[in-house]
Amino acid sequence: MEDGAKPRDLEDRTFLFAGSVRAFVKQLRRTISNTEDVSQLVRASGSVAANWIEADEALSKKDFLMRVKICRKEAKESRLFLRLVDTGLTKNNVASREALATEARELTLIFASIISKSR
């Protein structure tokens, strides 16, 4: 997400988001709170990508909507845990966190739009 050119395909975009989160957390300090928050962040970011794949392969409209709602929920959760992690004092970590939080917010809005258009 750092190069500015975001893939239009949501499968790629959500995969890149999950991968970027994993690269980001490797830079963080190992504290008790970060250990817990990072664990939740990694799970939530991966769940966005996994549930989008499930939505894309949904067996029914109801199944599709449920999976997209989970994507939206997990993207929101990712943003929360990004805000909670302690980045330390490095400007690079703060900038990376902000970029990832922005991407989580954009994904949340995309999934919300898909949900409203699918009703």
Side-chain angles (χ1 to χ4, degrees):
M1 263 68 42
E2 293 161 45
D3 63 358
K6 295 175 182 157
R8 293 183 57 81
D9 178 58
L10 270 176
E11 187 172 336
D12 291 342
R13 188 166 174 176
T14 57
F15 173 80
L16 288 173
F17 174 66
S20 295
V21 164
R22 281 151 179 75
F24 167 70
V25 299
K26 289 178 184 175
Q27 311 304 315
L28 298 177
R29 298 180 324 158
R30 306 277 190 263
T31 64
I32 293 171
S33 62
N34 267 0
T35 299
E36 294 299 317
D37 293 339
V38 162
S39 180
Q40 292 284 349
L41 172 58
V42 168
R43 275 197 292 280
S45 67
S47 185
V48 173
N51 277 288
W52 177 253
I53 290 170
E54 293 280 335
D56 203 33
E57 298 292 325
L59 301 173
S60 67
K61 185 175 181 176
K62 184 179 177 182
D63 185 33
F64 174 79
L65 279 171
M66 183 191 70
R67 295 294 174 182
V68 176
K69 286 177 182 179
I70 293 170
C71 289
R72 180 182 62 184
K73 178 183 80 76
E74 297 291 348
K76 284 181 179 180
E77 214 172 281
S78 295
R79 187 164 176 249
L80 167 70
F81 286 107
L82 280 162
R83 293 169 64 204
L84 287 174
V85 294
D86 178 7
T87 58
L89 298 176
T90 58
K91 289 181 182 177
N92 206 22
N93 282 353
V94 173
S96 294
R97 176 178 64 184
E98 292 308 313
L100 288 167
T102 297
E103 179 66 355
R105 174 102 173 101
E106 288 178 13
L107 288 169
T108 300
L109 293 172
I110 289 167
F111 295 129
S113 176
I114 291 169
I115 292 164
S116 69
K117 289 178 182 175
S118 295
R119 289 188 175 158

